[in-house]
Amino acid sequence: MNRFKKFLSLLITFAIVITTLSACSKEDKNNVQKSDSKNIKADQLVKVQALKGPTGMGIVKLIDDQKNKKDKKYDIKISNSIDEISPLIIKGKVDMAAIPSNLASVLYNKTKGKVQVMAINTLGVLYMVDQSGNIKSIPDLRGKTIYLSGKGATPEIVLNSVLKSYNIDPQIDVNIEYKQEHTECLAALEKNKNAVAMLPEPFVSAARLKNKDINVFADMTKEWYVANPDTKNSMITGVMVVRTDFAEKHPDQVKLFMEEYKKSMEYTNTDIEKSAKLIGQNKIVPEAVAKLAIPKSNIKYIDGKEMKDSMKAYLEILNKENKDMIGGKMPGEDFYYTK
């Protein structure tokens, strides 16, 4: 009897040990699974790049939302120049990026279709300015010196197109001087009070905060539509692109991002005070500059068929002027993400 009691006691003890070990094993396994889940989630964050300026200004609400969420979906970074972003796209180190519209076509051609444009995010941002206050409109530019940055790029195409629409020959009737940076254009303008400069936002607003004599006498987006009346939304500064293989593998993530990105851009345009504060906090441009620049930066979300039609119209104009600006040839139909 005593032997039986001892045996029973050992059996119960053994059972308790086994149960405890099993529970510990399950707990350890669950902890490993939870840890793995966190690691996987971190690895699966959608990597997005934007630039300082209008494209960064439009995505700022989405950046702020991610900071306040435990369940993050995006890793959004702001770059100082496009030279930082292009290699990341080519090497597949980012999933989506806000870049100049013509560069999207260049990268598509360079990578043989590995980049698609999802949405337009910025329309025209170029303005003509002077210091004298004597120039009132484009026809007054005859005989004047015009400073701008962007030879062989969109600013040159825009200026030439607008001048020709007023029967002003860019080679004969004006003196165009190209500079490397917008700051150089402004410095040259300050030395030559009778000259003019073509500058983009938010640089125009930044310049006007420092120099009250800077006068804006022409919105080059409006002038572009005078010069190209058969096109709609065809003055396109920036777009959001996605890697083709990412879009194919993760269509739901792409769709969700587009929806949230659109809301972020709408927030920037409708709540300027709060948006400007967020823009300043994220060091995209100073808050004071953002307040002035947002209404003039043409931050606008366009996707689907309208995006496709507008992009095609714009790229065709660039293609006629300079094929190199779009990578040598018009992109194919697969360039446009319209799902």
Side-chain angles (χ1 to χ4, degrees):
M1 191 70 164
N2 289 333
R3 288 182 181 177
F4 178 76
K5 286 182 179 179
K6 287 182 180 179
F7 175 75
L8 184 60
S9 178
L10 288 171
L11 187 62
I12 291 171
T13 302
F14 180 75
I16 291 172
V17 171
I18 291 297
T19 303
T20 303
L21 290 173
S22 177
C24 289
S25 176
K26 286 181 180 178
E27 187 176 352
D28 290 342
K29 187 176 181 181
N30 287 337
N31 286 337
V32 170
Q33 287 176 341
K34 286 178 182 177
S35 177
D36 288 347
S37 176
K38 288 180 181 178
N39 290 334
I40 289 171
K41 183 173 282 187
D43 291 342
Q44 289 181 343
L45 288 176
V46 180
K47 296 178 177 61
V48 184
Q49 293 277 150
L51 283 165
K52 285 189 174 181
T55 62
M57 290 156 64
I59 203 171
V60 72
K61 184 63 169 66
L62 192 52
I63 293 174
D64 190 61
D65 288 344
Q66 289 299 293
K67 289 179 181 177
N68 299 319
K69 282 185 178 179
K70 292 182 180 179
D71 185 20
K72 300 184 188 304
K73 297 189 289 289
Y74 311 110
D75 176 15
I76 305 173
K77 289 185 171 59
I78 302 294
S79 296
N80 291 316
S81 73
I82 192 60
D83 293 337
E84 298 174 18
I85 299 179
S86 294
L88 296 176
I89 299 172
I90 293 171
K91 294 176 182 177
K93 292 186 177 181
V94 297
D95 304 310
M96 305 172 188
I99 62 176
S101 52
N102 68 301
L103 180 62
S105 178
V106 171
L107 290 176
Y108 169 88
N109 285 319
K110 189 171 184 177
T111 62
K112 298 181 180 179
K114 292 183 180 179
V115 173
Q116 292 178 294
V117 60
M118 304 157 58
I120 293 168
N121 56 35
T122 315
L123 297 177
V125 295
L126 293 169
Y127 294 85
M128 297 294 289
V129 303
D130 79 325
Q131 284 196 105
S132 68
N134 296 325
I135 301 176
K136 306 299 181 184
S137 60
I138 299 297
D140 295 337
L141 291 176
R142 288 182 184 276
K144 299 295 182 182
T145 294
I146 304 172
Y147 300 113
L148 73 151
S149 175
K151 183 171 178 58
T154 300
E156 180 181 9
I157 301 297
V158 171
L159 180 60
N160 288 345
S161 179
V162 169
L163 290 176
K164 289 175 183 177
S165 71
Y166 285 92
N167 295 317
I168 299 174
D169 190 325
Q171 304 297 323
I172 300 172
D173 299 325
V174 293
N175 174 37
I176 301 175
E177 289 193 23
Y178 292 94
K179 304 293 182 180
Q180 291 294 321
E181 302 288 341
H182 302 309
T183 51
E184 292 179 38
C185 295
L186 191 59
L189 182 63
E190 289 175 348
K191 290 181 180 179
N192 185 355
K193 301 290 184 181
N194 294 317
V196 301
M198 189 170 78
L199 300 169
E201 283 289 1
F203 195 85
V204 173
S205 292
R208 294 186 76 188
L209 279 175
K210 293 180 180 179
N211 185 346
K212 300 300 181 184
D213 291 332
I214 296 293
N215 172 60
V216 178
F217 66 86
D219 179 341
M220 295 301 278
T221 301
K222 293 179 180 178
E223 296 294 345
W224 172 267
Y225 294 127
V226 172
N228 302 278
D230 296 330
T231 62
K232 181 183 179 183
N233 289 330
S234 67
M235 171 61 123
I236 304 169
T237 298
V239 296
M240 180 64 73
V241 299
V242 61
R243 287 190 296 106
T244 303
D245 61 342
F246 182 87
E248 291 174 349
K249 292 176 183 176
H250 308 286
D252 291 339
Q253 285 179 289
V254 173
K255 181 181 178 182
L256 180 61
F257 173 80
M258 292 172 75
E259 291 171 355
E260 294 183 331
Y261 185 42
K262 181 180 181 180
K263 290 178 182 177
S264 179
M265 293 170 68
E266 290 172 347
Y267 179 90
T268 297
N269 285 322
T270 55
D271 199 333
I272 294 175
E273 290 287 327
K274 290 181 181 178
S275 295
K277 187 174 182 179
L278 291 176
I279 290 165
Q281 289 174 351
N282 284 278
K283 298 180 180 179
I284 296 169
V285 298
E287 181 179 347
V289 173
K291 284 182 183 179
L292 290 177
I294 289 172
K296 302 171 185 175
S297 293
N298 269 323
I299 298 168
K300 187 172 183 179
Y301 181 92
I302 303 172
D303 63 15
K305 186 179 184 300
E306 185 179 356
M307 173 274 291
K308 180 179 178 179
D309 292 344
S310 298
M311 277 292 289
K312 271 190 172 182
Y314 183 60
L315 293 176
E316 282 172 357
I317 293 171
L318 299 187
N319 188 47
K320 289 178 182 177
E321 293 290 335
N322 185 351
K323 292 181 182 294
D324 291 339
M325 286 186 63
I326 63 168
K329 62 181 180 179
M330 288 289 291
E333 291 294 304
D334 59 334
F335 173 60
Y336 306 99
Y337 186 87
T338 55
K339 297 178 182 179

